[in-house]
Amino acid sequence: MLALRTRGLGKTFKVKRKEPGLRGSVRSLLRPEWEEKPAVRGIDLTVGQGETVAFLGPNGAGKSTTIKMLTGILHPSFGEAEVLGLSPWKQRSELAYRIGTVFGQKSQLWYHLPPVDTFELIGRVYELKREDYARRSRELIERFELGPYLRTPVRKLSLGERMRCEIAAVFLHRPSLLFLDEPTIGLDVVVKQRIRELIRESNRSEGTTVVLTSHDPTDVEELCSRVVVIHHGGLLLDEPVERMKRDVLNRKTIRLTTASELRESELPLPEGTNAVRKEGRTFTIEVDLGRTAVEDVLGGWIGRVRIEDITVEDPPLEETIKHIYGRRGEKEEGA
Amino acid sequence: MSTEDKTFAGADASRDAGKRSPFAKGIGVVRFLLTTWKVNLAAAMEYRLSFLLLAGMMFVNNLIWLFFWSLFFGRFPVVHGWELGDVMMLWAVGAGGFGWANVLFGNFHRVAQIVSSGQLDVYLSQPKPVLLNALASRMSVTAAGDFLFGVVIYAWAGEHTLAGLGKFAMGLAISGLLFMGVMLIAGCCAFFLGNSEGIAQQAFNSFVSLTTYPADIFRGMARIALFSIVPAGFISYLPIGLLRNLEPGFVLGAAGMAAGTCLAGAWLFRAGLRRYASGNAVSMRG
């Protein structure tokens, strides 16, 4: 069963071109110049029911524009899309009953009111029966552990608490397809993890199809079964997360600051690691996860190196995308 | 999950959602509106003192304008057939109409800003009529003072009969709808011209100003404009054409213009949605 299908779906925006400075502004006022800026360049995509798909890509890649077309918020410039058998922009209202949307930067909670008031309004928006609303909201409050701040005005909640309420609210009408646009943006590591767990749990217990956008590879690794990399408005990669983890997300960067001055040769580095930089007492070490695990690297230092600070990071997304381009080039040359 | 199967999950349910009768849809919209207004009121009540001060200040502000008019009519008791009582009723229907429209549909003069800053996303992602949802999502606190002012002035200087009350209610309805229709049309420019907040603000200020002067002081082209391009005359002539003399031609024209501008605004909004470009500004509701 399909959840959504697109064929050559694309969107271009008409953007005014302006030279910098006051002279540019005056010239633009007298003789405005416009250019067509492609945001999404004809995407073909099929998502099955119950799948968890991540749209991964840097800022401006076209992820959010694609989601907005699939939810009927934006009309496409060309191409087709069917979501749950409906045309998003022609049957927007019917579709809205069946899907849920969370925009990390656009809250549907009322700023001055406690979340419980917005929940009631959302119950009315989706025309839930009284008993059904009461049962469902109770269930979500329990699952998302919202009890302590359900009656606190949203303006007084932390960003993490607010996002939890946002995501709980979107589950009220039991959507069969959920679009999450940057649901973990701006959140700290612990809250991000909790949000991911809650989305994963809802996907498992209710079979909700999840399509999310992110520029955080950890969202993809921990939440999704399939990854779609979008870059410059086009589809760069569409494959299972497991394969992407193996082929692309197979590196971590460790930043280690030692308590005392240490030469590079004194730092134990197992197979599969490479010290790429040393600045003062801080080493930057790249780990090839295909050859060694991060915990083995860290284990090798315990008791031998006096550690002041340590961080483990994913390589920047731009680097991952460069890697994908490189891999594609190799494949094409091979063919 | 295989994507080879070409049938869509939940397609039946989607079709069912679209098949609801217009009556059931209408009931759903009314319930939704009532809850939205309740939530709006609750949000306004979060700051009770501010609510009372703002509403009270607007009441006093309107009263000061009437005081100036009373000084004027003290020197010139009749101006083009208008007396102080007519001007009082002009302010009653003008402020009262603006008040109810702004209390119940407080975003009607902010459409340009909402469109330009990409704040329609939340309304577009919900299954209720987008325009109604967007308009009703805000309640203007100061406008409660305007509405109260209108009612108090009617109680002071209006015609206290059932017919008088009916005419006043009709005046309020026409005035409120005209304010909404005109501002909606001005606000929808944002879909077609880009950032047109300035134009909409200018249209708003001009329209409000023109509704506060007796229609009969304008002559020639100005009068024609007042009953066509900037239809403020359909509000500012209400004290004579509806409340005092009940001129059927004028009343029909005013009601038609009120309904027409609202329908034209709604049509423009619908057409504009095709061009809506969203945005990435951070936004909150309420």
Side-chain angles (χ1 to χ4, degrees), chain A residues 33-79:
Chain A
E33 284 179 33
W34 299 88
E35 65 178 347
E36 294 273 325
K37 189 182 168 203
V40 178
R41 300 165 189 262
I43 283 184
D44 293 315
L45 188 70
T46 306
V47 174
Q49 188 194 3
E51 270 196 291
T52 44
V53 181
F55 284 1
L56 192 66
N59 289 333
K63 311 181 295 285
S64 299
T65 306
T66 307
I67 293 270
K68 284 174 185 172
M69 286 192 283
L70 293 174
T71 49
I73 290 171
L74 292 178
H75 286 243
S77 306
F78 47 86

Side-chain angles (χ1 to χ4, degrees), chain A residues 49-118:
Chain A
Q49 188 194 3
E51 270 196 291
T52 44
V53 181
F55 284 1
L56 192 66
N59 289 333
K63 311 181 295 285
S64 299
T65 306
T66 307
I67 293 270
K68 284 174 185 172
M69 286 192 283
L70 293 174
T71 49
I73 290 171
L74 292 178
H75 286 243
S77 306
F78 47 86
E80 294 168 28
E82 263 185 290
V83 179
L84 302 175
L86 298 167
S87 165
W89 49 95
K90 289 179 191 153
Q91 294 160 294
R92 185 196 58 79
S93 181
E94 288 94 320
L95 180 63
Y97 279 105
R98 311 266 302 129
I99 63 171
T101 320
V102 174
F103 295 105
Q105 302 192 50
K106 288 178 189 185
S107 177
Q108 64 169 332
L109 300 173
W110 290 58
Y111 189 59
H112 294 295
L113 292 178
V116 68
D117 284 337
T118 304

Side-chain angles (χ1 to χ4, degrees), chain A residues 181-227:
Chain A
D181 190 12
E182 307 273 13
T184 59
I185 195 165
L187 302 178
D188 65 46
V189 180
V190 179
V191 178
K192 269 186 183 182
Q193 189 57 30
R194 186 71 189 120
I195 296 276
R196 285 180 198 130
E197 279 166 19
L198 291 167
I199 297 169
R200 194 167 44 218
E201 196 184 313
S202 300
N203 164 259
R204 280 185 193 148
S205 60
E206 300 187 5
T208 315
T209 309
V210 178
V211 176
L212 69 86
T213 73
S214 179
H215 53 249
D216 183 347
T218 318
D219 280 349
V220 181
E221 281 179 67
E222 298 200 357
L223 198 54
C224 299
S225 56
R226 182 176 155 202
V227 62

Side-chain angles (χ1 to χ4, degrees), chain A residues 1-5 11 13-14 34 46-51 68 71-76 82-86 89 92-101 103-114 117-118 120-122 124-127 130 153-155 162 166 176 209 226, chain B residues 1-11 13-15 17-20 24-25 27-29 31-32 35-36 38-40 42-44 46-47 117-130 133 136-138 193 273-286:
Chain A
M1 300 276 263
L2 294 181
L4 68 89
R5 179 172 54 201
K11 178 82 183 169
F13 290 107
K14 209 173 159 190
W34 299 88
T46 306
V47 174
Q49 188 194 3
E51 270 196 291
K68 284 174 185 172
T71 49
I73 290 171
L74 292 178
H75 286 243
E82 263 185 290
V83 179
L84 302 175
L86 298 167
W89 49 95
R92 185 196 58 79
S93 181
E94 288 94 320
L95 180 63
Y97 279 105
R98 311 266 302 129
I99 63 171
T101 320
F103 295 105
Q105 302 192 50
K106 288 178 189 185
S107 177
Q108 64 169 332
L109 300 173
W110 290 58
Y111 189 59
H112 294 295
L113 292 178
D117 284 337
T118 304
E120 194 191 334
L121 180 63
I122 290 173
R124 281 285 185 226
V125 167
Y126 291 96
E127 298 179 26
R130 279 273 150 214
V154 170
R155 66 176 184 277
R162 181 169 76 72
E166 294 275 0
S176 46
T209 309
R226 182 176 155 202
Chain B
M1 189 66 59
S2 164
T3 52
E4 290 306 306
D5 187 347
K6 298 294 181 227
T7 55
F8 276 91
S14 295
R15 276 192 292 274
K19 271 184 192 165
R20 293 162 65 246
K25 280 185 184 172
I27 293 287
V29 170
R31 282 185 176 151
F32 157 71
T35 312
T36 305
K38 197 175 89 178
V39 170
N40 272 330
E46 270 291 299
Y47 303 95
S117 58
Q119 289 175 49
L120 275 182
D121 292 12
V122 170
Y123 310 115
L124 277 162
S125 64
Q126 294 182 343
K128 288 288 170 268
V130 185
N133 195 349
S137 276
R138 177 177 171 269
L193 307 177
L273 284 180
R274 292 185 61 84
R275 305 170 62 105
Y276 176 59
S278 188
N280 56 10
V282 176
S283 62
M284 297 292 299
R285 294 185 77 181

Side-chain angles (χ1 to χ4, degrees), chain A residues 96-102 108-109 115-141 143-144 146 150 164-176 178 202 206 208, chain B residues 126:
Chain A
Y97 279 105
R98 311 266 302 129
I99 63 171
T101 320
V102 174
Q108 64 169 332
L109 300 173
V116 68
D117 284 337
T118 304
F119 282 16
E120 194 191 334
L121 180 63
I122 290 173
R124 281 285 185 226
V125 167
Y126 291 96
E127 298 179 26
L128 302 181
K129 291 197 170 64
R130 279 273 150 214
E131 320 78 69
D132 187 29
Y133 164 72
R135 195 171 48 240
R136 183 65 172 163
S137 57
R138 243 191 338 263
E139 184 188 316
L140 290 169
I141 288 163
R143 194 198 301 169
F144 283 70
L146 305 180
L150 199 62
R164 256 205 243 186
C165 293
E166 294 275 0
I167 294 172
V170 86
F171 277 108
L172 266 174
H173 65 290
R174 299 183 181 83
S176 46
L178 194 60
S202 300
E206 300 187 5
T208 315
Chain B
Q126 294 182 343

